[in-house]
Amino acid sequence: MAGAASALFLLDIKGRVIVWRDYRGDVSAAQAERFFSKLIEKEDDSQSNDPVAYDNGVTYMFVQHTNVYLMIASRQNCNAATLLSFLHRVVDVFQHYFEELEEESLRDNFVVVYTEGRILSEFIKTDAYRMEVTQRPPMAVTNAVSWRSEGLQYKKNEVFLDVIENLNILVNSYGQILRSDVVGALKMRTYLTGMPECKLGLNDRVLLEAQGRATKGKAIDLEDIKFHQCVRLGRFENDRTISFIPPDGAFDLMTYTLSTQVKPLIWVETQIEKHSKSRVEMLVKA
């Protein structure tokens, strides 16, 4: 991350720096004050809610969590989405250790190293994980499968798979559907012994057409697919099979979007008639 980011700042709700890390030496702590000034300007503009601000050659990318701002400053032409994703992962790691990420918990704890939370908890111990004996780094830190510890044992092997989909529909004032898409995620919980390899197949149109199988009414066109790091991308490119050694516990296997015409489950029509300044009549039909 240091190749793109100049510095990482953690600020309180008033814009004061709690912790910061300088990577390139081309910004100073004073940039945090400039950032907070730009943030106040954005709050005054009700139409501006993007997490990126620019001022005098410096790009600020930020997220807010409770009473803390996490902000990256950069003078490079960087990938803003990657850095924002990094900030959200930092929030996940802090919450894993502090239970609640806020100004007080940051002042009371060290900044922990960014990696998988479950693996990190085996090596770095806070109050919730007191270290009683000297421990060596877990094998997962240097292992090729860094997201899973070795030697896991379960009396009962279980895998749970949930498909969660959200429907987005854009409708004009005449009730016509202009655009609809589905944003989905495959969420898994695995409790498996050892280092198992799992395989998952989908009714993907690309795969079915490659196999010469009929696709009418059965296949789907997956778009914007994002996999967990455990998935073997080369295998997916070859035969569209999702092959992976899963992390232990809960994780998101993949996310995707579907651009398809979908009818809403509930259609709501409203009519508003203003009779006077103090009387408005509304008719709502579902």
Side-chain angles (χ1 to χ4, degrees), residues 115 119-120 123 137-148:
T115 184
I119 303 305
L120 198 63
F123 183 48
M139 288 296 295
V141 172
T142 55
N143 189 15
V145 187
S146 62
W147 53 87
R148 185 179 180 88

Side-chain angles (χ1 to χ4, degrees), residues 1 8-10 51 61-64 69-72 80-94 101:
M1 188 197 73
L8 170 65
F9 295 89
L10 278 76
M61 292 141 287
F62 65 94
V63 298
Q64 181 182 3
Y69 288 100
L70 294 89
M71 181 268 288
I72 287 177
T82 299
L83 295 180
L84 288 170
S85 176
F86 169 78
L87 290 178
H88 284 288
R89 288 303 301 270
V90 170
V91 171
D92 291 341
V93 173
F94 285 172
L101 173 57

Side-chain angles (χ1 to χ4, degrees):
M1 188 197 73
S6 296
L8 170 65
F9 295 89
L10 278 76
L11 307 98
D12 63 17
I13 199 68
K14 296 182 179 179
R16 295 172 297 196
V17 177
I18 303 174
V19 180
W20 75 295
R21 174 70 182 272
D22 186 5
Y23 293 109
R24 304 179 61 87
D26 55 358
V27 301
S28 63
Q31 301 298 144
E33 298 179 4
R34 301 293 298 271
F35 157 73
F36 202 70
S37 299
K38 297 295 292 184
L39 184 64
I40 294 175
E41 293 177 6
K42 290 172 68 66
E43 290 178 349
D44 293 337
D45 184 0
S46 59
Q47 296 182 345
S48 178
N49 56 4
D50 58 285
V52 180
Y54 180 82
D55 180 65
N56 196 25
V58 180
T59 303
Y60 303 99
M61 292 141 287
F62 65 94
V63 298
Q64 181 182 3
H65 185 86
T66 61
N67 60 352
V68 176
Y69 288 100
L70 294 89
M71 181 268 288
I72 287 177
S74 176
R75 291 186 180 273
Q76 305 287 315
N77 184 14
C78 57
N79 188 326
T82 299
L83 295 180
L84 288 170
S85 176
F86 169 78
L87 290 178
H88 284 288
R89 288 303 301 270
V90 170
V91 171
D92 291 341
V93 173
F94 285 172
Q95 284 186 300
H96 180 80
Y97 276 91
F98 310 153
E99 294 185 359
E100 189 65 39
L101 173 57
E102 55 187 16
E103 179 184 350
E104 190 67 23
S105 63
L106 283 176
R107 295 187 185 278
D108 292 342
N109 293 274
F110 291 105
V111 177
V112 294
V113 180
Y114 160 64
T115 184
E116 287 288 332
R118 297 183 188 89
I119 303 305
L120 198 63
S121 61
E122 297 181 24
F123 183 48
I124 299 180
K125 312 294 182 179
T126 62
D127 289 339
Y129 306 93
R130 286 192 174 88
M131 185 180 293
E132 297 179 357
V133 296
T134 303
Q135 296 187 4
R136 63 182 179 84
M139 288 296 295
V141 172
T142 55
N143 189 15
V145 187
S146 62
W147 53 87
R148 185 179 180 88
S149 300
E150 294 183 352
L152 294 173
Q153 295 290 330
Y154 288 98
K155 293 182 179 180
K156 184 179 181 181
N157 292 303
E158 296 178 304
V159 176
F160 301 91
L161 176 63
D162 294 316
V163 180
I164 308 297
E165 293 186 336
N166 296 314
L167 175 62
N168 300 319
I169 298 180
L170 179 62
V171 183
N172 63 15
S173 58
Y174 300 101
Q176 298 172 332
I177 298 177
L178 302 180
R179 187 185 67 205
S180 64
D181 59 77
V182 176
V183 180
L186 268 62
K187 297 180 178 292
M188 294 193 71
R189 286 182 294 135
T190 60
Y191 307 99
L192 301 172
T193 298
M195 287 286 182
E197 180 171 344
C198 302
K199 295 181 181 179
L200 182 66
L202 302 173
N203 55 334
D204 181 40
R205 187 183 300 276
V206 175
L207 173 61
L208 296 178
E209 290 179 350
Q211 295 176 343
R213 297 162 59 183
T215 60
K216 185 177 181 180
K218 296 182 180 180
I220 55 176
D221 293 316
L222 297 177
E223 303 173 6
D224 297 331
I225 303 175
K226 297 180 180 63
F227 288 112
H228 188 275
Q229 60 177 325
C230 67
V231 176
R232 292 187 172 92
L233 299 180
R235 178 71 182 274
F236 181 77
E237 290 294 333
N238 290 333
D239 58 12
R240 310 293 283 190
T241 298
I242 303 175
S243 177
F244 57 98
I245 297 176
D248 186 49
F251 68 101
D252 288 354
L253 178 64
M254 65 176 288
T255 59
Y256 59 89
T257 59
L258 294 174
S259 296
T260 180
Q261 291 295 327
V262 180
K263 293 183 179 180
L265 298 178
I266 300 175
W267 189 267
V268 180
E269 294 182 355
T270 61
Q271 294 180 357
I272 302 176
E273 185 176 355
K274 296 182 179 180
H275 296 281
S276 64
K277 292 184 178 180
S278 59
R279 181 169 177 262
V280 178
E281 184 178 349
M282 297 183 182
L283 176 62
V284 180
K285 296 189 296 182

